[in-house]
Amino acid sequence: MGSFNGDSMDDFKGLRITQLDDDDDEETAMEPINIDEFDDDDEEDDEDYEPVTLGFVESPRFSWSNLRQLFPNLAGGVPAWLDPVNLPSGKSILCDLCEEPMQFVLQLYAPIPDKESTFHRTLFLFMCPSMSCLLRDQHEQWKRAPEKAMRSTKVFRCQLPRVNPFYSSEAPKHNGTDKPSGDGAPLCTWCGTWKGDKICSGCKSARYCSQKHQALHWRVGHKTECQQLRTVIETSDADAVNNGVALTQNQKVASKSLWKEFVVINEDESEYDTEMSGDDEMAKSLVSKREVDDQMKSLMNDFEGDADKKIWVNFQQRVAKAPEQVLRYSRSSGAKPLWPMASGRVSKSEIPNCKSCGGSLCFEFQVMPQLLFFFGGKNDRESLDWATIVVYTCANSCDSSLSYKEEFVWVQLYSQTT
């Protein structure tokens, strides 16, 4: 499984960490997008597209496929934190609207090889699973500084140099023998996502990121389990705190409401430019062509105005080449999101500057609505839904004192009538 960034677009699919003796190889730097040239008008008919890497999901092939020392690309389940110690904390892990911990959506390993501090670089996307919060988020995302927007969707960037306290400087072998350097912070027993900095007062072993998750775990069985754990700890030779941490780390995540876990594999979009035969296209798609055509006609009827219809046609034509894509990645200069609609797009004036360095942001990737299908989303008004989620990151991928720096995410929703 390769990274989503590299020296050139041709290297995306098979890129892995190079060996130390490869340092002398020539590398071509990626130029960040210039925000001043960001084109936010309604014209989307330019055929000179920037190269794009597509992301697809598949079930993990091995039990170790999602371990952090392999620098995986993941969707659903729990994150594999790049910096396993200095995790996001406090209000940054909460939906700003309902104030409950957000749920992990996906992570992308996207190193920038020409900069020492970004030898390892991963982007993490989280969101509140409540559609009502996402609808409120729609209004909040238009707010600009100095007024702080309240968001239900957040993205964090973490980066490390090649020599760091957590990983070997050698490339992983991907055979199940790779080990990290040291343990990470204990995680929440309920969600397995955020740091478990609150400890159950009974068993002293279960850890939680919030009182909400502690209450949920208690109701679904920890009340009984707590007494059992207390007995184990009391009869053990090890001290209660260390024994409790070990027990917690060996337990599976208690929550049953996390999205299904996948690994994300990547392919160049150009590989899908060749027209496939009808049989091959049907064999590769989970959704029949008739269903796609019927859905397209239905949505076309709901869109108001020629601009939305024109952009929707362009969107469908691009996506139809690989209908199961859940992600589109391109950090090359001039890259733009593929918008499903004209309404609800972000303009350059609405993209803030980097919170850390004050520099400009560039488009890096977008999440497609197809991911909801794989997550088992329901087709009703209360279920989570989006047209696309677009992520912009610091063009300089700047360093700061925080291990996880919050970047900018824009969510485009279908109209409520649609």
Side-chain angles (χ1 to χ4, degrees):
M1 179 165 48
S3 74
F4 274 84
N5 200 4
D7 303 339
S8 69
M9 283 293 176
D10 293 333
D11 295 333
F12 275 178
K13 188 173 70 170
L15 185 67
R16 296 195 186 281
I17 302 170
T18 57
Q19 300 294 335
L20 279 172
D21 55 6
D22 291 336
D23 285 345
D24 294 332
D25 292 347
E26 251 184 58
E27 294 177 337
T28 304
M30 275 287 192
E31 291 294 327
I33 183 173
N34 183 348
I35 292 298
D36 292 334
E37 297 174 359
F38 188 88
D39 183 7
D40 60 350
D41 61 23
D42 291 339
E43 295 301 322
E44 294 284 349
D45 54 355
D46 184 4
E47 293 299 328
D48 297 327
Y49 298 121
E50 293 290 333
V52 173
T53 300
L54 304 180
F56 304 87
V57 293
E58 67 177 22
S59 297
R61 296 181 181 180
F62 307 102
S63 59
W64 42 263
S65 295
N66 59 356
L67 298 180
R68 61 182 174 88
Q69 59 266 30
L70 301 181
F71 312 106
N73 301 305
L74 302 174
V78 298
W81 294 108
L82 183 61
D83 178 339
V85 175
N86 306 295
L87 308 187
S89 60
K91 292 186 177 180
S92 66
I93 76 169
L94 304 177
C95 168
D96 295 329
L97 299 166
C98 68
E99 297 187 339
E100 294 189 8
M102 293 179 296
Q103 197 159 306
F104 174 63
V105 180
L106 58 77
Q107 69 181 73
L108 299 182
Y109 182 62
I112 302 176
D114 61 307
K115 186 177 178 182
E116 181 182 355
S117 64
T118 56
F119 184 84
H120 297 297
R121 179 176 177 271
T122 303
L123 305 171
F124 298 83
L125 179 65
F126 299 87
M127 69 190 309
C128 178
S130 166
M131 187 62 193
S132 61
C133 285
L134 188 57
L135 289 171
R136 292 170 63 190
D137 179 288
Q138 275 286 284
H139 299 285
E140 293 290 329
Q141 72 180 1
W142 298 85
K143 294 182 179 179
R144 303 200 66 207
E147 185 176 12
K148 177 174 171 57
M150 307 278 284
R151 303 301 307 276
S152 72
T153 306
K154 299 178 184 180
V155 62
F156 298 94
R157 169 173 54 88
C158 180
Q159 55 199 40
L160 297 170
R162 185 173 203 160
V163 179
N164 63 80
F166 309 119
Y167 307 102
S168 167
S169 57
E170 299 296 329
K173 299 179 179 65
H174 292 272
N175 59 5
T177 64
D178 299 298
K179 303 293 182 185
S181 302
D183 296 325
L187 301 175
C188 177
T189 307
W190 177 254
C191 69
T193 298
W194 306 108
K195 183 182 290 188
D197 52 8
K198 299 173 178 61
I199 304 176
C200 173
S201 60
C203 64
K204 301 292 193 300
S205 64
R207 290 172 171 261
Y208 303 100
C209 64
S210 62
Q211 290 183 343
K212 169 76 172 182
H213 284 185
Q214 182 176 14
L216 288 171
H217 193 205
W218 187 263
R219 288 203 296 266
V220 301
H222 185 61
K223 183 177 181 179
T224 302
E225 183 185 61
C226 185
Q227 182 59 47
Q228 296 172 344
L229 287 171
R230 289 177 65 180
T231 303
V232 171
I233 292 171
E234 288 169 0
T235 58
S236 172
D237 293 334
D239 66 275
V241 174
N242 289 336
N243 204 12
V245 170
L247 283 169
T248 303
Q249 289 177 340
N250 289 329
Q251 291 172 343
K252 291 185 177 180
V253 176
S255 174
K256 304 299 181 185
S257 61
L258 302 182
W259 288 307
K260 185 178 178 181
E261 180 185 68
F262 296 95
V263 294
V264 181
I265 58 173
N266 46 306
E267 300 280 353
D268 290 341
E269 186 181 38
S270 60
E271 295 187 15
Y272 294 85
D273 287 340
T274 304
E275 292 293 331
M276 290 186 297
S277 69
D279 291 340
D280 289 341
E281 186 175 4
M282 289 300 297
K284 288 192 174 185
S285 177
L286 292 176
V287 184
S288 71
K289 188 175 186 301
R290 176 177 293 179
E291 288 176 311
V292 172
D293 290 343
D294 289 345
Q295 183 186 40
M296 182 176 175
K297 290 177 182 177
S298 174
L299 288 169
M300 286 283 285
N301 291 334
D302 287 323
F303 287 136
E304 298 178 1
D306 292 337
D308 268 339
K309 291 182 178 179
K310 181 179 180 180
I311 290 179
W312 177 250
V313 169
N314 178 70
F315 177 82
Q316 281 294 332
Q317 288 174 342
R318 291 286 299 275
V319 173
K321 298 176 183 178
E324 292 171 28
Q325 61 185 275
V326 300
L327 184 95
R328 298 178 63 85
Y329 182 97
S330 181
R331 202 174 187 269
S332 61
S333 177
K336 301 177 187 178
L338 180 64
W339 297 103
M341 302 177 297
S343 55
R345 295 187 298 168
V346 66
S347 66
K348 63 181 180 181
S349 64
E350 289 151 350
I351 301 173
N353 290 332
C354 175
K355 293 181 179 180
S356 297
C357 71
S360 62
L361 303 186
C362 66
F363 166 69
E364 186 149 359
F365 74 90
Q366 70 183 105
V367 183
M368 309 297 279
Q370 289 91 316
L371 183 61
L372 289 164
F373 170 81
F374 294 98
F375 279 173
K378 298 178 181 177
N379 189 22
D380 58 58
R381 278 188 170 277
E382 302 303 317
S383 297
L384 199 62
D385 192 16
W386 63 73
T388 190
I389 300 174
V390 183
V391 172
Y392 296 86
T393 60
C394 177
N396 296 317
S397 201
C398 67
D399 300 304
S400 79
S401 58
L402 290 175
S403 289
Y404 288 88
K405 291 160 276 293
E406 190 172 345
E407 298 284 13
F408 181 67
V409 57
W410 184 272
V411 183
Q412 184 185 49
L413 299 182
Y414 294 114
S415 69
Q416 288 305 291
T417 56
T418 306

